[in-house]
Amino acid sequence: MATSTKHTTEWHSPRSGDSRRTLSPRPQIANLLAGLAGVGFGAVTALALETEGHSALYSPGGWALAVTRFSGFWGGYLLLLMVLLMVRLPWLERTVGQDQLVRWHRKVAPWATSLTSLHVLAAILGYAQMLHNSILSQAWIFVLHYPDMLAAYVGWILLLVAAFSSIRIARRKMRYETWWVVHLYTYLGLGLAFMHQIRTGIMFLGHPLSTQMWTWTWIGAGVVTLLWRVAVPVVRNLRFGLRVADISEVAPGVRSVTVSGRHLDRLAVNGGQFFQWRFMAKELWWHSHPYSLSALPRPPFLRVTVKGLGDQSSALKDLKVGTRVFVEGPYGAFTRHRMTRERVVLIGAGVGITPLRALLEDLPENRPVSVIIRARTAEDVVHGDEMKLLVEARKGSYHELIGSRDDVSLDAATLTSLAHGLADSDVFICGPEGFTESVVASLQEAGVPHSRIHFESFTF
Ligand SMILES: Cc1cc2nc3c(=O)[nH]c(=O)nc-3n(C[C@H](O)[C@H](O)[C@H](O)COP(=O)(O)OP(=O)(O)OC[C@H]3O[C@@H](n4cnc5c(N)ncnc54)[C@H](O)[C@@H]3O)c2cc1C
């Protein structure tokens, strides 16, 4: 395999002109969407309430069937919300950040799964009581005699498999790609479970308006998902036509991958954001991994800098120049839009320096900036020379702290002495999880409020 080690473009030199498009966060839209989600939940609850009555509650199986209806509606609605949180809606992505969206998705997940499971069990119990059947025979009667119930059972099982695969212990033992494919089946599960709701739900039978509303809500969620997860990325990639232009080692085990494409001057991206990268080589095309831009675009070029850790990141060194590249994004809210103060401090370690390098380039002019980099050896500092030049141009301060964790401590006193005006700054941190945690603790000790500490996590 042939990889070029020559720099395709001069990433050290300042970018010429700045006609680059950028997009700001849209908190109003994020708030509107949150409001709509709340209204939707209220509407769903009202729909379930509307079908309840005193006599139905006190007839055989009445209470279990009431639980069936509420848990079914709430569970289904929360499942839709979970899907929508991961749809990559651009306004949410750049306002809230993908890491936060993933955290919300994970918080909702146990509720959605438990409510859906409660719905299944309560339905079996309620019908068994109402029809005087045993629980097992009722479960079987559902499969044999009720429309779309077998599909719904399969959908529920797919949901449970995805839920168990996401439990921390199971997740750790699984390859990321396996977990991802299992997760894809939840879309199938949702599709399979839909028809039984409309064809057996008492709140829909004889209620065309409710049926229409619920159906269009699901169709809407499907369309939005297909639009943002499939159609938009495909169209963008056809337009950009990205290909690998250069690969070069920038530190031991760390490589910069430069790609070139068309119309990149129209790409709206901020320093600190990331894309999902899919390199269309034989063994790699089915992997998609998040990497942050390690510099602002210099059309026709984009650059990422990657540390070889697992299958995909290590294999990038063998990529051929000319390999097609498919990206999704940009995503993430680790950008200058988080700034609330004049002064900025950037603190990084390892390959976590890469988004900071792009963010530094993107900071508004004349902002006082301090950069603190920690690395085991001087060789391990990624893009240190570029950072130094950018800091010099801004007349800021640049510090490399070289040595093992025990030798070099980033405690409150050290940080305060290195970063002028630390307590009145916005601080951006990127590095390994343990590093970030200890720096956040030191910053709080040094008097930086949590709202002004911003960090990017390289694991979801
Ligand atoms: C927002 C973000 C930005 C990142 N930016 C950079 C960067 O600029 N440079 C860099 O070297 N690394 C970056 N990473 C980390 C990088 O994505 C992982 O190191 C890489 O995906 C590992 O893939 P692998 O095939 O080599 O290893 P694997 O063995 O496949 O994965 C190792 C671990 O990486 C994580 N991972 C793998 N694939 C994904 C995925 N598609 N989405 C989320 N997490 C995944 C999982 O935690 C997994 O357990 C970033 C991660 C995130 C979340």
PDB file of all heavy atoms in Angstrom, residues 6 36 48-49 75 80 249 255 282 290-291 299 301 309 337 376 381 399 420 445:
ATOM      1  N   LYS A   6       3.979  13.334   2.395  1.00  0.00           N
ATOM      2  CA  LYS A   6       4.210  14.754   2.143  1.00  0.00           C
ATOM      3  C   LYS A   6       2.946  15.544   2.546  1.00  0.00           C
ATOM      4  O   LYS A   6       1.829  15.079   2.357  1.00  0.00           O
ATOM      5  CB  LYS A   6       4.515  14.891   0.652  1.00  0.00           C
ATOM      6  CG  LYS A   6       3.849  15.982  -0.116  1.00  0.00           C
ATOM      7  CD  LYS A   6       4.219  15.867  -1.568  1.00  0.00           C
ATOM      8  CE  LYS A   6       3.065  15.360  -2.402  1.00  0.00           C
ATOM      9  NZ  LYS A   6       1.860  16.091  -2.411  1.00  0.00           N
ATOM     10  N   LEU A  36     -42.259  21.052  22.429  1.00  0.00           N
ATOM     11  CA  LEU A  36     -43.114  20.167  21.628  1.00  0.00           C
ATOM     12  C   LEU A  36     -43.131  18.755  22.199  1.00  0.00           C
ATOM     13  O   LEU A  36     -44.171  18.095  22.231  1.00  0.00           O
ATOM     14  CB  LEU A  36     -42.591  20.108  20.187  1.00  0.00           C
ATOM     15  CG  LEU A  36     -43.017  21.243  19.263  1.00  0.00           C
ATOM     16  CD1 LEU A  36     -42.412  21.059  17.883  1.00  0.00           C
ATOM     17  CD2 LEU A  36     -44.542  21.282  19.165  1.00  0.00           C
ATOM     18  N   ALA A  48     -54.884   8.586  26.312  1.00  0.00           N
ATOM     19  CA  ALA A  48     -55.055   7.369  27.117  1.00  0.00           C
ATOM     20  C   ALA A  48     -56.138   7.581  28.173  1.00  0.00           C
ATOM     21  O   ALA A  48     -56.967   6.695  28.412  1.00  0.00           O
ATOM     22  CB  ALA A  48     -53.729   6.984  27.774  1.00  0.00           C
ATOM     23  N   LEU A  49     -56.169   8.790  28.762  1.00  0.00           N
ATOM     24  CA  LEU A  49     -57.163   9.082  29.816  1.00  0.00           C
ATOM     25  C   LEU A  49     -58.576   9.038  29.272  1.00  0.00           C
ATOM     26  O   LEU A  49     -59.501   8.586  29.937  1.00  0.00           O
ATOM     27  CB  LEU A  49     -56.901  10.486  30.374  1.00  0.00           C
ATOM     28  CG  LEU A  49     -56.053  10.599  31.635  1.00  0.00           C
ATOM     29  CD1 LEU A  49     -55.875  12.067  31.999  1.00  0.00           C
ATOM     30  CD2 LEU A  49     -56.710   9.841  32.792  1.00  0.00           C
ATOM     31  N   GLY A  75     -44.677   4.320  26.754  1.00  0.00           N
ATOM     32  CA  GLY A  75     -43.481   3.596  26.269  1.00  0.00           C
ATOM     33  C   GLY A  75     -43.232   3.888  24.799  1.00  0.00           C
ATOM     34  O   GLY A  75     -42.112   4.190  24.382  1.00  0.00           O
ATOM     35  N   LEU A  80     -40.107   6.812  20.548  1.00  0.00           N
ATOM     36  CA  LEU A  80     -39.987   7.775  19.443  1.00  0.00           C
ATOM     37  C   LEU A  80     -39.031   8.906  19.825  1.00  0.00           C
ATOM     38  O   LEU A  80     -38.195   9.332  19.029  1.00  0.00           O
ATOM     39  CB  LEU A  80     -41.346   8.375  19.093  1.00  0.00           C
ATOM     40  CG  LEU A  80     -42.298   7.512  18.292  1.00  0.00           C
ATOM     41  CD1 LEU A  80     -43.474   8.344  17.805  1.00  0.00           C
ATOM     42  CD2 LEU A  80     -41.607   6.880  17.095  1.00  0.00           C
ATOM     43  N   GLU A 249       2.590  10.781   9.585  1.00  0.00           N
ATOM     44  CA  GLU A 249       2.716  10.523  11.019  1.00  0.00           C
ATOM     45  C   GLU A 249       3.131  11.831  11.700  1.00  0.00           C
ATOM     46  O   GLU A 249       4.103  12.466  11.302  1.00  0.00           O
ATOM     47  CB  GLU A 249       3.753   9.432  11.271  1.00  0.00           C
ATOM     48  CG  GLU A 249       3.759   9.009  12.720  1.00  0.00           C
ATOM     49  CD  GLU A 249       4.439   7.665  12.937  1.00  0.00           C
ATOM     50  OE1 GLU A 249       5.393   7.378  12.202  1.00  0.00           O
ATOM     51  OE2 GLU A 249       4.016   6.939  13.870  1.00  0.00           O
ATOM     52  N   ARG A 255      -1.571   9.753  13.349  1.00  0.00           N
ATOM     53  CA  ARG A 255      -1.434  10.177  11.945  1.00  0.00           C
ATOM     54  C   ARG A 255      -2.469  11.228  11.579  1.00  0.00           C
ATOM     55  O   ARG A 255      -3.610  11.160  12.038  1.00  0.00           O
ATOM     56  CB  ARG A 255      -1.616   8.967  11.020  1.00  0.00           C
ATOM     57  CG  ARG A 255      -0.412   8.075  11.053  1.00  0.00           C
ATOM     58  CD  ARG A 255      -0.550   6.855  10.176  1.00  0.00           C
ATOM     59  NE  ARG A 255       0.733   6.162  10.150  1.00  0.00           N
ATOM     60  CZ  ARG A 255       1.211   5.427  11.154  1.00  0.00           C
ATOM     61  NH1 ARG A 255       0.500   5.277  12.257  1.00  0.00           N
ATOM     62  NH2 ARG A 255       2.391   4.848  11.066  1.00  0.00           N
ATOM     63  N   LYS A 282     -11.522  -1.724   1.442  1.00  0.00           N
ATOM     64  CA  LYS A 282     -12.104  -3.070   1.529  1.00  0.00           C
ATOM     65  C   LYS A 282     -12.536  -3.468   2.955  1.00  0.00           C
ATOM     66  O   LYS A 282     -13.662  -3.851   3.188  1.00  0.00           O
ATOM     67  CB  LYS A 282     -11.080  -4.068   0.996  1.00  0.00           C
ATOM     68  CG  LYS A 282     -11.686  -5.385   0.608  1.00  0.00           C
ATOM     69  CD  LYS A 282     -10.673  -6.205  -0.154  1.00  0.00           C
ATOM     70  CE  LYS A 282     -11.063  -7.665  -0.100  1.00  0.00           C
ATOM     71  NZ  LYS A 282      -9.913  -8.534  -0.062  1.00  0.00           N
ATOM     72  N   PRO A 290     -16.069   8.566  14.945  1.00  0.00           N
ATOM     73  CA  PRO A 290     -16.021  10.022  15.104  1.00  0.00           C
ATOM     74  C   PRO A 290     -14.586  10.532  15.239  1.00  0.00           C
ATOM     75  O   PRO A 290     -13.835  10.028  16.070  1.00  0.00           O
ATOM     76  CB  PRO A 290     -16.784  10.248  16.414  1.00  0.00           C
ATOM     77  CG  PRO A 290     -16.694   8.966  17.173  1.00  0.00           C
ATOM     78  CD  PRO A 290     -16.428   7.870  16.199  1.00  0.00           C
ATOM     79  N   TYR A 291     -14.229  11.513  14.430  1.00  0.00           N
ATOM     80  CA  TYR A 291     -12.940  12.205  14.576  1.00  0.00           C
ATOM     81  C   TYR A 291     -13.181  13.701  14.401  1.00  0.00           C
ATOM     82  O   TYR A 291     -13.907  14.125  13.498  1.00  0.00           O
ATOM     83  CB  TYR A 291     -11.923  11.729  13.521  1.00  0.00           C
ATOM     84  CG  TYR A 291     -11.593  10.255  13.632  1.00  0.00           C
ATOM     85  CD1 TYR A 291     -11.883   9.388  12.578  1.00  0.00           C
ATOM     86  CD2 TYR A 291     -11.001   9.728  14.774  1.00  0.00           C
ATOM     87  CE1 TYR A 291     -11.608   8.031  12.682  1.00  0.00           C
ATOM     88  CE2 TYR A 291     -10.726   8.376  14.889  1.00  0.00           C
ATOM     89  CZ  TYR A 291     -11.036   7.532  13.841  1.00  0.00           C
ATOM     90  OH  TYR A 291     -10.773   6.189  13.954  1.00  0.00           O
ATOM     91  N   PRO A 299     -10.048  24.778   2.007  1.00  0.00           N
ATOM     92  CA  PRO A 299     -10.562  24.185   0.763  1.00  0.00           C
ATOM     93  C   PRO A 299      -9.468  24.105  -0.300  1.00  0.00           C
ATOM     94  O   PRO A 299      -8.726  25.073  -0.436  1.00  0.00           O
ATOM     95  CB  PRO A 299     -11.687  25.131   0.356  1.00  0.00           C
ATOM     96  CG  PRO A 299     -12.115  25.767   1.645  1.00  0.00           C
ATOM     97  CD  PRO A 299     -10.888  25.869   2.484  1.00  0.00           C
ATOM     98  N   PHE A 301      -9.200  21.144   1.156  1.00  0.00           N
ATOM     99  CA  PHE A 301      -8.741  20.118   2.096  1.00  0.00           C
ATOM    100  C   PHE A 301      -9.441  20.189   3.451  1.00  0.00           C
ATOM    101  O   PHE A 301      -9.763  21.274   3.952  1.00  0.00           O
ATOM    102  CB  PHE A 301      -7.232  20.247   2.329  1.00  0.00           C
ATOM    103  CG  PHE A 301      -6.420  20.067   1.074  1.00  0.00           C
ATOM    104  CD1 PHE A 301      -5.723  21.125   0.531  1.00  0.00           C
ATOM    105  CD2 PHE A 301      -6.371  18.832   0.440  1.00  0.00           C
ATOM    106  CE1 PHE A 301      -4.996  20.974  -0.643  1.00  0.00           C
ATOM    107  CE2 PHE A 301      -5.644  18.676  -0.727  1.00  0.00           C
ATOM    108  CZ  PHE A 301      -4.957  19.748  -1.274  1.00  0.00           C
ATOM    109  N   LEU A 309      -5.763   3.095  17.792  1.00  0.00           N
ATOM    110  CA  LEU A 309      -6.099   2.369  19.032  1.00  0.00           C
ATOM    111  C   LEU A 309      -6.666   0.989  18.718  1.00  0.00           C
ATOM    112  O   LEU A 309      -6.137  -0.022  19.155  1.00  0.00           O
ATOM    113  CB  LEU A 309      -7.136   3.162  19.830  1.00  0.00           C
ATOM    114  CG  LEU A 309      -6.648   4.417  20.540  1.00  0.00           C
ATOM    115  CD1 LEU A 309      -7.816   5.136  21.195  1.00  0.00           C
ATOM    116  CD2 LEU A 309      -5.612   4.063  21.600  1.00  0.00           C
ATOM    117  N   HIS A 337     -18.780  29.042  20.415  1.00  0.00           N
ATOM    118  CA  HIS A 337     -20.093  29.568  20.833  1.00  0.00           C
ATOM    119  C   HIS A 337     -20.377  29.312  22.303  1.00  0.00           C
ATOM    120  O   HIS A 337     -21.328  29.861  22.857  1.00  0.00           O
ATOM    121  CB  HIS A 337     -21.198  28.964  19.963  1.00  0.00           C
ATOM    122  CG  HIS A 337     -21.041  29.353  18.522  1.00  0.00           C
ATOM    123  ND1 HIS A 337     -21.200  30.645  18.105  1.00  0.00           N
ATOM    124  CD2 HIS A 337     -20.696  28.631  17.441  1.00  0.00           C
ATOM    125  CE1 HIS A 337     -20.970  30.706  16.797  1.00  0.00           C
ATOM    126  NE2 HIS A 337     -20.661  29.498  16.377  1.00  0.00           N
ATOM    127  N   ARG A 376       3.545  12.793  27.673  1.00  0.00           N
ATOM    128  CA  ARG A 376       4.552  11.986  28.362  1.00  0.00           C
ATOM    129  C   ARG A 376       5.960  12.361  27.908  1.00  0.00           C
ATOM    130  O   ARG A 376       6.867  12.523  28.701  1.00  0.00           O
ATOM    131  CB  ARG A 376       4.279  10.502  28.109  1.00  0.00           C
ATOM    132  CG  ARG A 376       4.441   9.643  29.335  1.00  0.00           C
ATOM    133  CD  ARG A 376       3.751   8.304  29.179  1.00  0.00           C
ATOM    134  NE  ARG A 376       3.722   7.823  27.809  1.00  0.00           N
ATOM    135  CZ  ARG A 376       4.695   7.126  27.243  1.00  0.00           C
ATOM    136  NH1 ARG A 376       5.782   6.825  27.917  1.00  0.00           N
ATOM    137  NH2 ARG A 376       4.575   6.714  26.002  1.00  0.00           N
ATOM    138  N   VAL A 381       3.688  15.235  21.750  1.00  0.00           N
ATOM    139  CA  VAL A 381       2.821  16.415  21.611  1.00  0.00           C
ATOM    140  C   VAL A 381       2.322  16.490  20.161  1.00  0.00           C
ATOM    141  O   VAL A 381       3.109  16.590  19.222  1.00  0.00           O
ATOM    142  CB  VAL A 381       3.575  17.712  21.975  1.00  0.00           C
ATOM    143  CG1 VAL A 381       2.648  18.918  21.811  1.00  0.00           C
ATOM    144  CG2 VAL A 381       4.094  17.632  23.400  1.00  0.00           C
ATOM    145  N   HIS A 399       2.182  26.519  26.930  1.00  0.00           N
ATOM    146  CA  HIS A 399       2.995  25.737  27.868  1.00  0.00           C
ATOM    147  C   HIS A 399       2.865  24.262  27.543  1.00  0.00           C
ATOM    148  O   HIS A 399       1.752  23.759  27.401  1.00  0.00           O
ATOM    149  CB  HIS A 399       2.517  25.934  29.309  1.00  0.00           C
ATOM    150  CG  HIS A 399       2.340  27.378  29.668  1.00  0.00           C
ATOM    151  ND1 HIS A 399       3.365  28.158  30.118  1.00  0.00           N
ATOM    152  CD2 HIS A 399       1.250  28.178  29.599  1.00  0.00           C
ATOM    153  CE1 HIS A 399       2.915  29.379  30.336  1.00  0.00           C
ATOM    154  NE2 HIS A 399       1.631  29.423  30.011  1.00  0.00           N
ATOM    155  N   HIS A 420      -3.075  33.056  32.901  1.00  0.00           N
ATOM    156  CA  HIS A 420      -3.367  34.365  33.493  1.00  0.00           C
ATOM    157  C   HIS A 420      -4.890  34.595  33.514  1.00  0.00           C
ATOM    158  O   HIS A 420      -5.571  34.361  32.520  1.00  0.00           O
ATOM    159  CB  HIS A 420      -2.649  35.432  32.647  1.00  0.00           C
ATOM    160  CG  HIS A 420      -2.862  36.805  33.178  1.00  0.00           C
ATOM    161  ND1 HIS A 420      -2.444  37.176  34.429  1.00  0.00           N
ATOM    162  CD2 HIS A 420      -3.467  37.885  32.641  1.00  0.00           C
ATOM    163  CE1 HIS A 420      -2.782  38.428  34.632  1.00  0.00           C
ATOM    164  NE2 HIS A 420      -3.401  38.882  33.555  1.00  0.00           N
ATOM    165  N   GLU A 445     -11.395  23.974  42.019  1.00  0.00           N
ATOM    166  CA  GLU A 445     -10.644  24.408  43.204  1.00  0.00           C
ATOM    167  C   GLU A 445     -10.041  25.794  42.958  1.00  0.00           C
ATOM    168  O   GLU A 445      -9.946  26.619  43.870  1.00  0.00           O
ATOM    169  CB  GLU A 445      -9.532  23.387  43.467  1.00  0.00           C
ATOM    170  CG  GLU A 445      -8.998  23.417  44.874  1.00  0.00           C
ATOM    171  CD  GLU A 445      -7.799  22.490  45.013  1.00  0.00           C
ATOM    172  OE1 GLU A 445      -7.810  21.404  44.390  1.00  0.00           O
ATOM    173  OE2 GLU A 445      -6.850  22.893  45.719  1.00  0.00           O
TER     174      GLU A 445
END
